[in-house]
Amino acid sequence: MDIKKLSKFLSLILRHKPDIVGISLDEHGWADVEALLRGIQKSGRNIDASFLEKVVAENDKQRFSFSEDRKRIRANQGHSLQVDVELVPKKPPAVLYHGTVERNRASIEEKGLLRGTRLYVHLSEDVETAMKVAARRKGERLIYQVDAGRMFRDGFMFYRSVNGVWLTKMVPTDYLRLR
């Protein structure tokens, strides 16, 4: 199995559906590494701990983290499951960005950025990263500029995941500008 395929499979397991390999996540999103490996192997994918370590280390988006003792693993963000990944509120940069596609424009301009099935709206520190996010979807790419500094001053909470993604519960239309 190649690294990219396993990374996508891990995202599905650790963000959305741990039960597909017969495991559960604790309240902070952690899964037992040994149980995860057994579950993945039972699904017909032959991987071991060293390959899992390689997937985590080489994932271009740094989506996963091991606990200090390397006995547990979790996704850094992007969950649809109710977990607390122990994020600490943080003051964001003055401006953040959100990449999307044209088909989402009307909804965003009417309702703002909503988290959907995820726990948070994901924002990027730079336009290039936001463009990469938008590129994962079919359609004309759009970038929204988020007035994160003003949102923060107005009482909205922001968090920064260990892989640099900025998170917030929602972005009202008043704080958005199409770039």
Side-chain angles (χ1 to χ4, degrees):
M1 172 170 255
D2 74 23
I3 288 178
K4 189 171 186 173
K5 284 183 181 176
L6 182 59
S7 177
K8 288 182 177 192
F9 190 53
L10 273 178
S11 289
L12 177 66
I13 296 166
L14 296 175
R15 290 175 165 181
H16 312 293
K17 296 182 177 183
D19 55 306
I20 65 170
V21 294
I23 66 165
S24 59
L25 307 179
D26 72 12
E27 67 273 13
H28 299 294
W30 292 109
D32 178 80
V33 169
E34 290 301 318
L36 175 67
L37 287 171
R38 281 192 306 274
I40 291 173
Q41 289 166 357
K42 284 181 185 175
S43 77
R45 294 161 177 90
N46 189 21
I47 71 156
D48 59 15
S50 63
F51 191 70
L52 182 63
E53 294 256 354
K54 183 176 173 127
V55 170
V56 172
E58 294 181 13
N59 182 267
D60 60 339
K61 296 179 180 81
Q62 293 298 292
R63 287 188 168 130
F64 315 105
S65 295
F66 283 109
S67 60
E68 285 185 32
D69 63 6
R70 313 277 278 186
K71 292 182 179 183
R72 297 176 301 151
I73 186 172
R74 72 177 172 193
N76 291 323
Q77 89 281 323
H79 299 82
S80 60
L81 302 169
Q82 288 297 316
V83 295
D84 172 11
V85 291
E86 304 166 292
L87 298 168
V88 177
K90 189 170 182 180
K91 182 180 179 181
V95 175
L96 291 169
Y97 302 93
H98 182 80
T100 189
V101 290
E102 178 65 37
R103 73 175 175 270
N104 298 326
R105 184 176 184 170
S107 175
I108 290 170
E109 293 183 1
E110 178 187 341
K111 301 174 187 172
L113 294 174
L114 305 176
R115 58 191 174 147
T117 60
R118 292 185 173 185
L119 299 180
Y120 299 98
V121 172
H122 293 201
L123 303 170
S124 306
E125 285 188 17
D126 57 77
V127 173
E128 296 79 26
T129 304
M131 285 298 279
K132 288 178 186 175
V133 170
R136 294 191 314 232
R137 293 167 181 84
K138 290 184 180 183
E140 182 185 341
R141 296 178 205 164
L142 300 176
I143 302 298
Y144 281 93
Q145 185 171 309
V146 176
D147 191 346
R150 186 165 58 96
M151 279 183 69
F152 185 76
R153 288 188 302 277
D154 289 348
F156 288 85
M157 300 298 290
F158 285 83
Y159 308 90
R160 189 169 187 262
S161 69
V162 296
N163 62 345
V165 176
W166 282 91
L167 308 167
T168 191
K169 291 286 185 181
M170 68 171 301
V171 180
T173 57
D174 295 351
Y175 302 95
L176 290 172
R177 185 174 63 93
L178 189 60
R179 254 183 131 255

